[in-house]
Amino acid sequence: MDLGVLLTALLLLAAAVAGWFRLDPHPHKSRALEILVAGLRAAVQLALVSVVVAWAVRSLPGLLAFLCLMYGVAVRTAGRRLTSNGTWWLAAAPIAAGVVPVVAALLLTGLVPLKGIALIPVTGILIGGALTVTVLAGRRALDELSQRHGEVEAAMALGFADRDARMEIARPAASDALLPGLDQTRTVGLVTLPGAFVGMLLAGAGPVLAGAVQLFVLIALMAVQSVAVAVTLELVARHLLYRPLPDAQTASPHKTKRLNAHWRRAAPVSRGD
């Protein structure tokens, strides 16, 4: 009962602060409402996941299905944070490119057994890290290209390939997505005691073993996140993952296609001018 009251109070406080200081991205979107919905969703989802995980850890098909569900939700969440057009599903590439090789290496070396009780939390941490940096890198890169599109066209006019011109502008912004993970790793044990470390201590493990597990998680996360950022940046630079042009928001499908085609032909047009 006390936990429920405290959680409710904290959720209402977060929503009240967001509402009072108007921490909204635009007038038609309420962060306060999003906070309330996110808190309620988390409570419902964790209740359901607790039941599902109890089944998944005892069944290999259940384990694989649950891992696929985690991956699918991460792709959908990341993709819709990046763009509203049909390219959102390409968020699957950076998340898979980062997570799959690391998980495969852990299984092949035997460091993580093919058991739900071990594989689900480890994979969940890695997918969550890949999701975060994919969103951060993609949004920063796309924002930068939108704000500095004149510089991109100027680079194309100077002879840069389309991909290289976008890369020069987007790379520095996208790389900032790695900063939270870097700061967490640099300050571990000094500023915060991360979840894996605390969880193992509470479960009765010794401090040395808990520290070793936490170090493994942090290093694995940096590997996953570096790959995810690199792939996201490449997709954006190659104009495979992109946002609709502002004029295309209200345009007909035919006009939208022509506008996007014009963007791809920006270099030849600029040279001609």
Side-chain angles (χ1 to χ4, degrees):
M1 179 62 71
D2 291 341
L3 177 61
V5 172
L6 179 59
L7 289 176
T8 301
L10 291 174
L11 181 61
L12 292 175
L13 173 64
V17 170
W20 180 265
F21 290 97
R22 299 180 181 178
L23 305 179
D24 307 319
H26 51 74
H28 304 294
K29 195 166 189 175
S30 170
R31 286 290 190 232
L33 180 60
E34 286 186 334
I35 289 172
L36 290 174
V37 172
L40 294 174
R41 279 188 60 174
V44 174
Q45 288 168 191
L46 285 173
L48 294 174
V49 165
S50 299
V51 176
V52 174
V53 168
W55 164 69
V57 297
R58 297 192 299 267
S59 165
L60 181 58
L63 169 61
L64 297 177
F66 189 73
L67 293 177
C68 289
L69 175 64
M70 293 167 63
Y71 173 67
V73 172
V75 170
R76 176 76 177 180
T77 302
R80 287 308 185 186
R81 286 290 185 190
L82 295 176
T83 181
S84 60
N85 64 25
T87 66
W88 67 265
W89 64 271
L90 289 172
I95 296 176
V99 173
V100 172
V102 174
V103 172
L106 294 174
L107 291 173
L108 290 174
T109 57
L111 293 175
V112 174
L114 188 59
K115 295 180 180 179
I117 196 66
L119 194 56
I120 287 176
V122 170
T123 306
I125 291 172
L126 299 180
I127 290 177
L131 160 64
T132 300
V133 297
T134 297
V135 172
L136 289 176
R139 288 177 68 91
R140 291 285 287 113
L142 291 168
D143 287 345
E144 201 75 359
L145 289 175
S146 175
Q147 294 165 10
R148 299 171 62 186
H149 64 275
E151 295 178 50
V152 176
E153 294 187 358
M156 291 178 180
L158 291 173
F160 281 73
D162 292 14
R163 178 259 184 196
D164 295 338
R166 296 188 189 100
M167 184 68 77
E168 288 298 313
I169 300 300
R171 183 189 285 114
S175 69
D176 285 349
L178 296 174
L179 291 179
L182 286 172
D183 289 342
Q184 182 184 24
T185 304
R186 286 172 177 165
T187 61
V188 64
L190 300 177
V191 178
T192 60
L193 293 176
F197 182 84
V198 174
M200 290 200 65
L201 288 180
L202 294 175
V208 175
L209 178 59
V213 171
Q214 183 59 66
L215 180 62
F216 146 71
V217 170
L218 290 173
I219 299 300
L221 265 176
M222 283 199 298
V224 167
Q225 292 178 336
S226 297
V227 173
V229 169
V231 174
T232 302
L233 179 59
E234 194 67 35
L235 290 172
V236 172
R238 292 181 180 276
H239 201 59
L240 298 173
L241 178 62
Y242 59 91
R243 290 173 180 162
L245 296 176
D247 293 341
Q249 297 286 355
T250 56
S252 65
H254 180 67
K255 185 178 180 181
T256 299
K257 186 180 295 186
R258 286 192 290 108
L259 285 168
N260 284 324
H262 171 73
W263 173 259
R264 292 191 177 93
R265 294 195 302 268
V269 170
S270 297
R271 293 191 188 97
D273 292 342

